[in-house]
């Protein structure tokens, strides 16, 4: 039986036509899919620029559904969810990215960082810490360490905070010596609260060595010495404070008076306070000097006269109120009411104000309760700022 070659000649054009038609069909489908994803992407971008986040999220979801392999769309969608406060959805997006085996190393590190931010914004500090640890040795290492430092500060995990601050210092990412001194002081206070004064003393000595110019270690060490009955040593420590950080002496003025009275060095303390008051007049130094005058019993130098001398150079409603407290008035029956009104008006002027966020408090804080900034409270009252 002979094979008819005419069938081959007829079949080749038919096979070619079918192949061409199939390729055209696939190309049309591919072009349709590719055109839908960019159209949805640009629609979402347009909504985002117009601050229409709800519509932008819908558009990006549509784009992701059309092209689930596009990592950039996932990142954009996750960031939008985080900004919207929908942290659980942001976490799902970034966890989905991390589960992909084809994700590049750079995108994987970026997704890990984004996931940590999701947990931080959601307030899940333990999960955020776990997500930040794998970022060591990545381009996000510095940001991750700073975030972990903030977590340890919020949770008052001072040993961990000290370790992270030391790493940042070693990597020349800033000067964290003062923060390390604060952390050591916090640990010393905890040790003192548990009755371990030996550990507290050691920690405060470390704090002074880490940050010799920081005022807090001197003040906390003087308090610890005064508490242990070492009044003379406390005076010596506060004299060192006056040399190393004179601007902080007003914070320690009441402690200096207490320690000086306990060891018989009131005259020496008065000379020190006089010297610094002449250089930088302030309410705390003034009130300490007035207290010393009142305790001396000298009628020639009554303490209230200092208020009048202060008012001659520094206008102060606080000093005027204190001066009027013992001044006889023409209508003496109204003296109590007038004095109470003045004292009420001066209370806000005696507060301390955070220079970072403006939070005001009656006592001085080393770390602001409002914005968590360190050393943001000046050692001066609101009236003096």
């Amino acid at each position: 039986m002979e094979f008819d070659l005419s069938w081959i000649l007829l079949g080749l054009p038919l096979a070619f036509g079918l192949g061409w038609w199939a390729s055209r069909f696939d190309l049309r489908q591919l072009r349709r899919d590719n055109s839908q994803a960019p159209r949805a992407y640009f629609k979402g971008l347009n909504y985002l620029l117009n601050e229409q986040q709800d519509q932008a999220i819908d558009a990006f979801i549509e784009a992701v559904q059309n092209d689930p392999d596009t990592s950039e769309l996932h990142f954009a969608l996750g960031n939008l969810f985080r900004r919207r406060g929908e942290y659980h959805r942001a976490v799902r997006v970034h966890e989905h990215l991390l589960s992909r085996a084809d994700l590049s190393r750079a995108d994987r590190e970026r997704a890990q960082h984004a996931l940590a931010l999701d947990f931080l914004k959601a307030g899940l500090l333990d999960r955020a810490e776990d997500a930040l640890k794998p970022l060591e040795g990545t381009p996000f290492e510095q940001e991750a360490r700073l975030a972990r430092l903030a977590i340890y500060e919020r949770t008052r995990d001072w040993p961990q905070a000290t370790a992270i601050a030391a790493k940042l210092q070693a990597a020349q990412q800033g000067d964290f010596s003062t923060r390390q001194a604060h952390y050591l002081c916090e640990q010393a206070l905890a040790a003192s609260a548990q009755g371990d004064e030996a550990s507290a003393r050691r920690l405060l000595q470390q704090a002074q060595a880490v940050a010799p110019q920081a005022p807090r270690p001197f003040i906390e060490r003087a308090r610890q010495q005064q508490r242990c009955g070492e009044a003379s040593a406390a005076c010596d420590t506060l004299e060192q404070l006056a040399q190393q950080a004179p601007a902080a002496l007003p914070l320690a003025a009441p402690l200096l008076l207490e320690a000086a009275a306990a060891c018989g060095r009131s005259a020496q303390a008065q000379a020190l306070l006089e010297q610094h008051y002449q250089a930088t007049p302030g309410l705390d130094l003034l009130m300490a000097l007035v207290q010393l005058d009142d305790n001396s019993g000298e009628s020639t130098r009554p303490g209230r006269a200092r208020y009048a001398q202060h008012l001659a150079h520094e206008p102060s409603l606080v000093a005027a109120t204190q001066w009027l407290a013992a001044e006889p008035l023409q209508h003496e029956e109204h003296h109590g009411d007038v004095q109470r009104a003045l004292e009420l008006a001066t209370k806000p002027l005696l507060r301390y104000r955070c220079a970072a966020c403006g939070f005001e408090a009656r006592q001085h804080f080393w770390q602001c309760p409002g914005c968590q900034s360190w050393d943001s409270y000046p050692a001066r009252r609101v009236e003096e700022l």
Side-chain angles (χ1 to χ4, degrees):
M1 181 178 177
E2 295 183 358
F3 183 74
D4 192 355
L5 294 176
S6 61
W7 288 104
I8 296 177
L9 297 176
L10 291 174
L12 284 175
L14 180 61
F16 176 78
L18 290 173
W20 178 84
W21 181 82
S23 65
R24 293 293 297 172
F25 179 79
D26 290 338
L27 285 174
R28 283 197 300 269
Q29 183 66 28
L30 182 61
R31 288 171 182 170
R32 188 182 303 112
D33 292 342
N34 288 338
S35 64
Q36 286 176 355
R39 189 181 300 117
Y41 176 79
F42 287 119
K43 187 193 301 182
L45 184 60
N46 182 56
Y47 284 133
L48 191 60
L49 292 175
N50 292 323
E51 298 184 357
Q52 296 174 282
Q53 294 187 9
D54 290 336
Q55 293 87 338
I57 286 174
D58 293 338
F60 282 134
I61 289 176
E62 178 186 348
V64 168
Q65 289 174 344
N66 290 330
D67 190 5
D69 293 332
T70 306
S71 58
E72 288 299 329
L73 291 178
H74 283 77
F75 284 121
L77 190 58
N79 291 338
L80 276 176
F81 283 142
R82 190 192 310 129
R83 290 179 59 185
R84 288 268 301 171
E86 300 179 46
Y87 304 119
H88 64 288
R89 300 180 73 180
V91 167
R92 287 176 58 189
V93 169
H94 295 130
E95 285 182 339
H96 173 71
L97 272 173
L98 288 171
S99 67
R100 286 173 47 180
D102 61 337
L103 201 63
S104 66
R105 179 177 178 179
D107 282 345
R108 186 170 299 280
E109 292 168 352
R110 183 180 171 191
Q112 185 72 32
H113 179 250
L115 181 64
L117 292 180
D118 297 338
F119 289 136
L120 277 175
K121 291 292 185 179
L124 303 173
L125 301 184
D126 53 343
R127 299 187 67 179
E129 180 187 358
D130 293 338
L132 289 166
K133 287 180 179 179
L135 293 173
E136 288 286 327
T138 72
F140 299 98
E141 180 181 72
Q142 180 183 352
E143 295 178 48
R145 286 178 176 176
L146 290 172
R148 288 173 64 191
L149 188 64
I151 290 173
Y152 296 140
E153 288 183 359
R154 288 177 63 181
T155 57
R156 304 185 68 81
D157 189 347
W158 305 120
Q160 290 274 33
T162 302
I164 292 295
K167 288 182 179 180
L168 289 166
Q169 182 90 8
Q172 298 182 347
Q173 299 298 333
D175 185 6
F176 290 84
S177 59
T178 303
R179 281 205 189 187
Q180 293 181 67
H182 280 300
Y183 303 154
L184 291 166
C185 288
E186 292 289 345
Q187 294 178 68
L189 291 177
S192 292
Q194 296 174 359
D196 189 357
E197 295 294 349
S199 295
R201 187 185 301 270
R202 176 178 51 79
L203 289 165
L204 291 173
Q205 290 173 347
Q206 290 180 15
Q208 284 184 293
V210 167
Q213 303 298 324
R216 187 182 182 184
F218 289 97
I219 296 176
E220 298 295 354
R221 188 176 182 188
R223 281 204 184 98
Q224 199 254 355
Q225 290 168 334
Q226 176 68 7
R227 191 167 55 248
C228 294
E230 304 170 10
S232 182
C235 287
D236 293 338
T237 300
L238 293 177
E239 288 177 0
Q240 294 176 27
L241 168 70
Q243 295 176 358
Q244 298 291 337
L249 184 60
L251 299 175
L255 178 60
L256 177 61
L257 295 186
E258 181 184 350
C263 65
R265 293 169 61 174
S266 295
Q268 186 176 347
Q270 183 169 1
L272 180 64
L273 292 172
E274 287 273 14
Q275 176 187 352
H276 284 270
Y277 175 79
Q278 294 300 326
T280 310
L283 288 174
D284 289 286
L285 296 178
L286 173 64
M287 289 187 283
L289 288 168
V290 168
Q291 184 177 341
L292 280 171
D293 285 343
D294 291 341
N295 293 339
S296 68
E298 298 180 12
S299 59
T300 56
R301 294 182 64 193
R304 59 185 299 273
R306 285 190 180 272
Y307 289 120
Q309 295 170 5
H310 184 82
L311 287 170
H313 302 91
E314 301 286 336
S316 169
L317 182 58
V318 174
T321 301
Q322 295 297 324
W323 181 83
L324 284 171
E327 181 69 14
L329 300 180
Q330 181 177 1
H331 300 284
E332 193 63 29
E333 67 275 12
H334 301 306
H335 189 281
D337 295 334
V338 172
Q339 189 65 29
R340 280 191 294 272
L342 286 172
E343 289 176 355
L344 184 64
T346 56
K347 276 186 178 179
L349 301 179
L350 286 170
R351 296 173 181 168
Y352 296 96
R353 179 186 296 154
C354 174
C357 70
F359 186 89
E360 293 185 2
R362 288 184 295 178
Q363 70 179 83
H364 181 273
F365 288 100
W366 297 108
Q367 184 182 27
C368 176
C371 64
Q372 307 298 311
S373 299
W374 289 98
D375 295 316
S376 59
Y377 276 88
R380 300 179 70 82
R381 310 283 180 164
V382 167
E383 187 184 56
E384 303 173 274
L385 299 177

